[in-house]
Amino acid sequence: MQALLISLITWVIAGAEAWFAYPIINTPLVLCPIVGAICGDLQTGIIAGATLQLIFLGVMAIGGTLPADAALGSIIGTFLAIQTGQSVEVAVTFAVPVALVGSSLTFVGYFIRTLFVPVTQKLVDSGNERGLEIEHICLAWLPELPKYILCFAVLAFGTDLAESLVNSLPETLLNSLDFATALLPAVGIALLLKVMWNKSTAVYFFLGLLLALYFGQGTLAVALIGVVLAVIIVFRDGNKNQDVAAQIEENEDGGLFND
């Protein structure tokens, strides 16, 4: 029942991610606590969600690339770790390889949606708006169904196999996994910085580094300071845009009267 409930809820969230214009809910930070709550270990779910979110932070689909499926990896990894009574490090051990394999299932979803292109064209040509709405709703959820059927199968029948696998691992390897898990969030942030890094954003990175290392601020404090700075920047740039628009309008009016 736990496997079925997790699979259904996360399937709905996966469809809602597309239906509601990607509100960033199909992520480890949201999914892992849900898995933890259903399995009766919310604390492990929250910790696993935060850890895996950092690991997959820089993973994104660019162009036609197929990124690792962070959602599927996080769901299965967290569930198996809780069911086997292991730590968050073991959740990461399961999550990363599952996420890599899950990217192939993402391709299956893309392929299913591609099959409906002729149907969409016919609906457009006939002006069938209701049909387009129904198709859009169906294509938000149905292409994800094979992935979550597999997810249910792994959650329902793979726990014993996972437990025996973890128990067979030597202590040295488990300690190595703990060390690697501590490094993986840094890799995720590095991947994100590789995309975002430029002269205008570098100063904020070093500001956060100084706040954490030299002023002893925690992650929450640094994040809240970042929110305040973001609000200041938005208001500042918004006022600049309004001033520019007003100047353009004034110049256009002046030019009209000069003519």
Side-chain angles (χ1 to χ4, degrees):
M1 288 304 297
Q2 286 180 343
L4 180 61
L5 187 59
I6 290 171
S7 300
L8 286 175
I9 292 176
T10 52
W11 175 52
V12 170
I13 291 175
E17 181 83 347
W19 178 248
F20 294 107
Y22 297 94
I24 318 298
I25 56 175
N26 194 35
T27 59
L29 201 60
V30 176
L31 298 173
C32 292
I34 292 175
V35 174
I38 293 174
C39 294
D41 192 350
L42 180 60
Q43 181 177 356
T44 299
I46 293 173
I47 297 172
T51 304
L52 291 168
Q53 186 71 42
L54 286 173
I55 292 171
F56 294 113
L57 198 60
V59 175
M60 59 188 71
I62 301 175
T65 61
L66 289 175
D69 193 324
L72 186 65
S74 300
I75 294 165
I76 293 177
T78 303
F79 180 84
L80 293 179
I82 293 174
Q83 292 299 314
T84 56
Q86 301 297 321
S87 62
V88 174
E89 287 75 17
V90 174
V92 176
T93 304
F94 285 121
V96 173
V98 170
L100 295 173
V101 174
S103 63
S104 60
L105 296 174
T106 302
F107 174 78
V108 173
Y110 290 165
F111 178 73
I112 293 174
R113 289 185 175 97
T114 303
L115 296 176
F116 283 84
V117 171
V119 178
T120 304
Q121 187 63 52
K122 289 181 180 179
L123 292 173
V124 172
D125 292 339
S126 62
N128 189 346
E129 296 182 5
R130 182 59 178 169
L132 285 170
E133 291 176 358
I134 295 173
E135 184 192 35
H136 185 59
I137 294 172
C138 292
L139 291 182
W141 276 279
L142 290 181
E144 301 291 334
L145 191 57
K147 181 190 301 183
Y148 287 92
I149 291 175
L150 178 63
C151 176
F152 167 73
V154 173
L155 298 182
F157 308 110
T159 306
D160 294 338
L161 176 62
E163 187 172 7
S164 61
L165 176 63
V166 171
N167 292 334
S168 65
L169 295 177
E171 189 69 24
T172 304
L173 180 58
L174 290 175
N175 292 335
S176 300
L177 290 173
D178 292 345
F179 181 75
T181 301
L183 292 177
L184 282 174
V187 176
I189 294 175
L191 288 171
L192 187 64
L193 286 176
K194 186 177 180 181
V195 178
M196 297 178 57
W197 188 268
N198 57 50
K199 293 180 180 179
S200 61
T201 59
V203 63
Y204 299 108
F205 172 79
F206 289 112
L207 174 61
L209 193 65
L210 288 172
L211 288 171
L213 292 181
Y214 294 100
F215 295 97
Q217 299 300 316
T219 305
L220 181 59
V222 174
L224 291 175
I225 293 171
V227 171
V228 173
L229 287 173
V231 172
I232 293 172
I233 292 170
V234 168
F235 279 113
R236 183 196 65 190
D237 292 346
N239 292 332
K240 284 183 179 179
N241 292 335
Q242 290 177 0
D243 293 340
V244 171
Q247 185 65 38
I248 293 173
E249 185 177 356
E250 182 180 348
N251 292 339
E252 289 177 349
D253 292 341
L256 177 63
F257 286 113
N258 289 336
D259 292 341

